[in-house]
Amino acid sequence: MNLLGQLGGAAAAETPICSRKGCRGDAQWQLLWNNPKIHTPGRRKIWLACDGHREWLQDYLVQRSLWKETLPLEESATPESSA
């Protein structure tokens, strides 16, 4: 069910977009992270990044000891989360 489509709003994006606030660029990277205070050790949250914001988002996660790995987007079929 697509409520946005029914209400005349924009349909969901077909191309994954960057998670950086305000960026609408096509995502090229997945930044896998985990907050050990609230997630189990094996859990990986995913932020998507365009080429221009990959380093910024990765640095943000590294500074907070949350970053685990950065992979090209095509290495995973479906990201768990982009929030």
Side-chain angles (χ1 to χ4, degrees), residues 31 54-64 67:
L31 290 91
R54 182 197 57 80
E55 187 174 337
W56 189 95
L57 289 166
Q58 184 172 312
D59 287 346
Y60 180 92
L61 293 168
V62 167
Q63 289 174 8
R64 289 154 181 81
W67 179 81

Side-chain angles (χ1 to χ4, degrees), residues 5-77:
Q6 292 176 355
L7 298 174
E14 292 180 20
T15 303
I17 59 168
C18 182
S19 297
R20 175 78 165 108
K21 185 176 180 179
C23 182
R24 306 316 294 164
D26 292 347
Q28 305 295 321
W29 301 95
Q30 345 175 44
L31 290 91
L32 285 63
W33 61 278
N34 172 298
N35 184 340
K37 293 181 181 177
I38 60 174
H39 299 130
T40 59
R43 174 116 188 244
R44 294 294 182 264
K45 300 287 286 183
I46 299 173
W47 280 352
L48 300 178
C50 64
D51 283 331
H53 289 120
R54 182 197 57 80
E55 187 174 337
W56 189 95
L57 289 166
Q58 184 172 312
D59 287 346
Y60 180 92
L61 293 168
V62 167
Q63 289 174 8
R64 289 154 181 81
S65 300
L66 304 175
W67 179 81
K68 297 298 180 190
E69 186 175 16
T70 298
L71 300 171
L73 183 59
E74 58 274 355
E75 281 195 22
S76 174

